[in-house]
Amino acid sequence: MSVKRSSHLKLLLSGAAACIAGMGFTSESHGLATWFGPWDYVLRHDDEGQPQAAFARLRGENGSLLWLTCQRFASEPDQPSVPFTTVAVAQKQFLGRSDPNGRSTVYWFDDNSPEVGHWIYRDRHGQIPDPAQVRTFVDKLAEAKSLTIELSNYRYETQQHAFRLDPKDTSNVADRFRKDCAAILREKIDDSSLAE
């Protein structure tokens, strides 16, 4: 792995760790909180009023949290911000850290076949770091009634976490997240298929 890619991955992981610690759900930093049923949702703006970060959070069983994050993040004030998106699950048990390639993680929506992804693990959470995989995950999440994720600890013992989803609320969160993320990442999005 190149030094540049390795440092970029560390930056993404530190940004995701910060959001999972709860920074997205404070009243500071120009944040606007809204709720979609059981989902918490925050859109933060920078000092110029431009969208800077979007966070969606859903509580699962046994204290677990499902996070959707889209953010422009700078590790140092004088450094340019780096855009990233991630899906993460935070929970109580210590999971340890994975290597940069991630740890195989099984998850499934409703009664569909299980899917396997390489999630990055840090301490008490695992996350999907790849933007294309995040988009696919959010698209599937928008239509689901349940999500089950099996996180594995450093001994590769699995811990199952379940999330119950209201399709209407989750679809609204997914639509809002996609729109806000496009603005944060300064991408164009086709609004014709999204609800207002």
Side-chain angles (χ1 to χ4, degrees):
M1 175 180 287
S2 71
V3 173
K4 184 177 180 182
R5 184 163 181 240
S6 177
S7 62
H8 181 70
L9 181 60
K10 287 179 184 174
L11 176 68
L12 298 181
L13 291 173
S14 63
C19 91
I20 289 169
M23 70 182 254
F25 289 91
T26 66
S27 59
E28 303 170 3
S29 304
H30 312 286
L32 176 63
T34 54
W35 292 266
F36 296 90
W39 286 90
D40 299 318
Y41 191 91
V42 170
L43 177 63
R44 289 178 43 202
H45 295 83
D46 61 21
D47 293 334
E48 285 78 40
Q50 298 298 314
Q52 181 184 34
F55 306 100
R57 178 179 69 182
L58 178 68
R59 295 186 185 279
E61 296 176 356
N62 301 318
S64 59
L65 297 169
L66 174 65
W67 288 83
L68 308 179
T69 304
C70 182
Q71 184 174 14
R72 297 185 70 80
F73 179 81
S75 60
E76 300 291 334
D78 59 340
Q79 295 295 317
S81 62
V82 176
F84 73 94
T85 58
T86 187
V87 171
V89 174
Q91 45 84 67
K92 295 176 181 178
Q93 291 81 26
F94 182 73
L95 298 168
R97 293 180 178 227
S98 64
D99 64 37
N101 295 323
R103 205 177 284 160
S104 292
T105 302
V106 178
Y107 59 94
W108 61 94
F109 295 96
D110 300 327
D111 295 323
N112 296 328
S113 299
E115 300 180 43
V116 179
H118 288 279
W119 290 36
I120 304 297
Y121 284 74
R122 286 177 66 94
D123 303 329
R124 289 179 167 77
H125 70 274
Q127 67 184 41
I128 301 173
D130 180 70
Q133 292 176 9
V134 170
R135 282 191 293 273
T136 300
F137 188 98
V138 170
D139 289 344
K140 291 179 180 180
L141 182 72
E143 301 174 352
K145 294 181 179 177
S146 67
L147 167 65
T148 305
I149 299 173
E150 289 186 349
L151 299 179
S152 60
N153 65 19
Y154 59 96
R155 291 190 294 250
Y156 296 96
E157 300 164 334
T158 58
Q159 303 166 12
Q160 197 171 100
H161 301 282
F163 298 89
R164 299 189 194 288
L165 308 168
D166 179 290
K168 182 179 177 184
D169 292 333
T170 306
S171 177
N172 289 337
V173 166
D175 288 347
R176 174 74 184 271
F177 183 78
R178 286 187 286 247
K179 285 182 179 180
D180 289 341
C181 197
I184 292 163
L185 303 179
R186 296 173 176 92
E187 297 174 341
K188 293 186 177 182
I189 189 167
D190 178 12
D191 287 340
S192 63
S193 63
L194 299 178
E196 289 297 325

